[in-house]
Amino acid sequence: MKATEVIADGFGRIREIVHEVVEGVPAELLNARVDPAANSITWLIWHLTRVQDDHLADAADTEQVWDSERWSDRFALPLPAGATGYGHSPRDVYTVRVDSGELLLGYFDAVHERTARFVRGLAATDLERVVDERWDPPVTLGVRLVSVLTDDLQHAGQAAFVRGVLERDRGV
């Protein structure tokens, strides 16, 4: 199995978790928080998708799906245009809300499809390309992809945990 196939498989597994967490969940639960300083399922899925979109667009030298497909307009969040969730306060987290899981999954799936096409088109040598020289050592494409994968996986797991806690608390 090639390294790019392993990476593609990892992103596919994140897609499975995201769909398991969001599908069939009412907006009330998606937007709920286990306490006032906690992240909601909505925020966690939006954030992991924004980070993937931002980082992959940068690595591929393309426009973010958030902008090119006007997801920013569909979400209509009261946040700066390029917000990805880094550094968000509990108040910022509260502003990331949806009326249904369809919006979250629509954006996530659009980003996932772009990511999958990009990764499938890579050769093993592409993973060695430096994509960020601000770090020591400089970050290669392979390292960036693994970084996004691990961050997304953590947030998808957190969203699954939040769903379980909220459903338990509501007797679902």
Side-chain angles (χ1 to χ4, degrees), residues 20-89:
E20 287 172 6
V21 169
V22 174
E23 287 176 354
V25 177
E28 172 193 342
L29 220 60
L30 292 172
N31 297 321
R33 294 156 66 176
V34 296
D35 71 49
N39 297 325
S40 65
I41 295 169
T42 297
W43 186 88
L44 288 161
I45 300 302
W46 171 83
H47 170 63
L48 74 83
T49 308
R50 287 293 297 124
V51 169
Q52 184 175 333
D53 191 9
D54 175 77
H55 287 29
L56 271 286
D58 184 58
D61 196 29
T62 60
E63 189 176 12
Q64 293 181 33
V65 172
W66 183 250
D67 298 317
S68 67
E69 296 184 18
R70 304 186 62 98
W71 287 99
S72 58
D73 293 341
R74 296 180 216 186
F75 275 81
L77 301 175
L79 298 169
T84 62
Y86 281 123
H88 270 187
S89 68

Side-chain angles (χ1 to χ4, degrees), residues 136-152:
D136 185 18
V139 177
T140 63
L141 177 57
V143 168
R144 177 59 46 88
L145 291 171
V146 169
S147 175
V148 172
L149 267 168
T150 58
D151 187 65
D152 281 3

Side-chain angles (χ1 to χ4, degrees), residues 7 56 59-60 118 122 126-131 139-146:
I7 292 168
L56 271 286
F118 176 69
L122 295 174
D126 293 328
L127 299 176
E128 298 169 17
R129 177 173 57 91
V130 172
V131 295
V139 177
T140 63
L141 177 57
V143 168
R144 177 59 46 88
L145 291 171
V146 169

Side-chain angles (χ1 to χ4, degrees), residues 145-166:
L145 291 171
V146 169
S147 175
V148 172
L149 267 168
T150 58
D151 187 65
D152 281 3
L153 188 56
Q154 286 179 356
H155 290 311
Q158 290 165 354
F161 175 80
V162 170
R163 178 179 171 171
V165 169
L166 292 171

